């Protein structure tokens, strides 16, 4: 009998807009909202992620991604959102413009490590 176990290597959330958006603050708000959803998923699985990737799609359907990898994983929504927004800003610096879609992806999963405290 062949048994296969599949392990997710990434999770993501993305939003396609009805109209192209050029307001960076609105895009940041969208990314933070997505980061909340992803952090909740990580918490439910007792996992952390080391790599945060931001996806951008322009009106001409070209896609750009920017990623940041951390030395240790996180499941903190605010930290994930901060990094997703920073990735967005880097990408828009390279190619400014309105966006049709933004998304946040996480990868590099590890089990949530509980720190143990020792009393001396």
């Amino acid at each position: 009998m062949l048994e296969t176990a599949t392990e997710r290597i990434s999770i993501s959330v993305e939003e396609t807009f009805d109209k192209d958006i050029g307001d960076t603050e609105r895009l940041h708000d969208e990314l933070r909202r997505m980061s909340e959803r992803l952090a909740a998923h990580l918490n439910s699985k007792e996992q952390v992620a080391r790599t945060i990737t931001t996806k951008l799609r322009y009106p001409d359907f070209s896609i750009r991604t920017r990623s940041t990898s951390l030395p240790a994983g996180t499941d903190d929504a605010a930290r994930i959102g901060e990094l997703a927004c920073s990735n967005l800003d880097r990408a828009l610096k390279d190619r400014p413009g309105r966006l049709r879609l933004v998304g946040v992806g996480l990868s590099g999963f590890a089990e949530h490590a509980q720190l143990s405290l020792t009393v001396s």
Side-chain angles (χ1 to χ4, degrees):
M1 175 182 354
L2 175 66
E3 287 186 34
T4 61
T6 57
E7 197 173 320
R8 282 188 181 234
I9 59 170
S10 69
I11 57 171
S12 64
V13 177
E14 54 188 47
E15 178 76 26
T16 301
F17 307 117
D18 292 332
K19 296 168 80 173
D20 301 339
I21 297 180
D23 177 6
T24 306
E25 276 311 306
R26 173 147 179 235
L27 295 168
H28 283 185
D29 289 345
E30 292 288 339
L31 292 174
R32 287 186 195 104
R33 182 182 54 78
M34 292 174 197
S35 297
E36 292 280 344
R37 287 180 56 196
L38 291 168
H41 178 80
L42 287 176
N43 283 302
S44 74
K45 300 290 186 185
E46 296 185 351
Q47 291 184 318
V48 294
R50 283 191 52 236
T51 302
I52 293 82
T53 301
T54 304
K55 178 179 177 180
L56 299 77
R57 181 180 296 148
Y58 292 86
D60 66 1
F61 292 96
S62 63
I63 295 173
R64 298 266 171 115
T65 60
R66 294 292 180 270
S67 297
T68 301
S69 292
L70 302 169
T74 185
D75 62 357
D76 180 64
R79 181 74 174 133
I80 294 167
E82 172 190 330
L83 294 168
C85 290
S86 175
N87 289 339
L88 173 79
D89 294 343
R90 278 186 12 230
L92 288 174
K93 186 177 177 187
D94 293 343
R95 182 182 171 190
R98 300 172 74 77
L99 299 177
R100 171 57 45 114
L101 171 148
V102 293
V104 180
L106 303 176
S107 58
F109 300 120
E111 296 300 312
H112 192 331
Q114 185 74 30
L115 297 177
S116 61
L117 300 176
T118 56
V119 180
S120 1

